[in-house]
């Protein structure tokens, strides 16, 4: 199942980890695995990724529009290059912050995560 969030922020109260990154498709997946309070996995899929700075895992996850893109601008060194159509997204668990510059964020949910070994 796939769903497109109409607006950010997205909030999840369970652990997430970096699951996969496809350089050729510029697609990043962060996965929240099933646990005690939930029986399905949740993938946050960032598409057309231009740059990122993330921790390998988060104890919970909030994905929101970035208030201050200056760190992203500094990392990418050419903010005018990505101003058209790209969004600056902050990823955080309250303690650790990261960011992704991408064109689109999608949430996928499902079962059977054991069979999917990344993308």
């Amino acid at each position: 199942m796939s769903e497109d969030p109409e607006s950010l922020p997205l909030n999840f109260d369970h652990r997430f980890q970096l699951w996969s990154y496809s350089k050729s498709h510029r697609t990043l997946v962060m996965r929240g695995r099933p646990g005690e309070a939930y029986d399905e996995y949740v993938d946050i899929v960032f598409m057309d990724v231009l740059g990122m700075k993330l921790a390998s895992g988060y104890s919970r996850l909030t994905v929101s529009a970035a208030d201050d893109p200056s760190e992203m601008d500094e990392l990418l060194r050419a903010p005018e290059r990505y101003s058209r159509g790209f969004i600056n997204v902050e990823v955080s668990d309250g303690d650790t912050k990261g960011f992704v510059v991408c064109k689109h964020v999608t949430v996928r949910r499902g079962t059977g995560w054991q069979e999917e070994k990344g993308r």
Side-chain angles (χ1 to χ4, degrees), residues 14-116:
H14 57 282
R15 294 187 155 285
F16 274 78
Q17 69 184 55
L18 292 179
W19 190 253
S20 67
Y21 178 71
S22 169
K23 184 177 179 180
S24 62
H25 291 94
R26 294 178 13 184
T27 302
L28 167 71
V29 178
M30 296 188 72
R31 176 161 285 185
R33 293 186 177 183
E36 292 178 22
Y38 42 94
D39 59 0
E40 62 183 9
Y41 69 83
V42 177
D43 284 348
I44 310 301
V45 183
F46 302 88
M47 293 175 275
D48 203 6
V49 174
L50 191 58
M52 69 184 116
K53 181 179 176 183
L54 297 168
S56 60
Y58 294 87
S59 59
R60 58 187 177 279
L61 192 69
T62 297
V63 179
S64 58
D67 292 329
D68 179 13
S70 60
E71 185 178 5
M72 294 170 242
D73 294 347
E74 184 178 320
L75 179 73
L76 295 176
R77 297 182 187 203
E80 66 282 349
R81 179 176 166 212
Y82 69 88
S83 62
R84 290 180 299 231
F86 286 89
I87 55 174
N88 299 321
V89 178
E90 183 176 282
V91 175
S92 175
D93 63 5
D95 297 320
T96 305
K97 290 185 179 182
F99 69 82
V100 179
V101 177
C102 63
K103 282 202 174 181
H104 191 68
V105 180
T106 298
V107 178
R108 286 190 308 224
R109 300 171 189 272
T111 58
W113 65 273
Q114 296 90 343
E115 292 85 36
E116 297 184 34

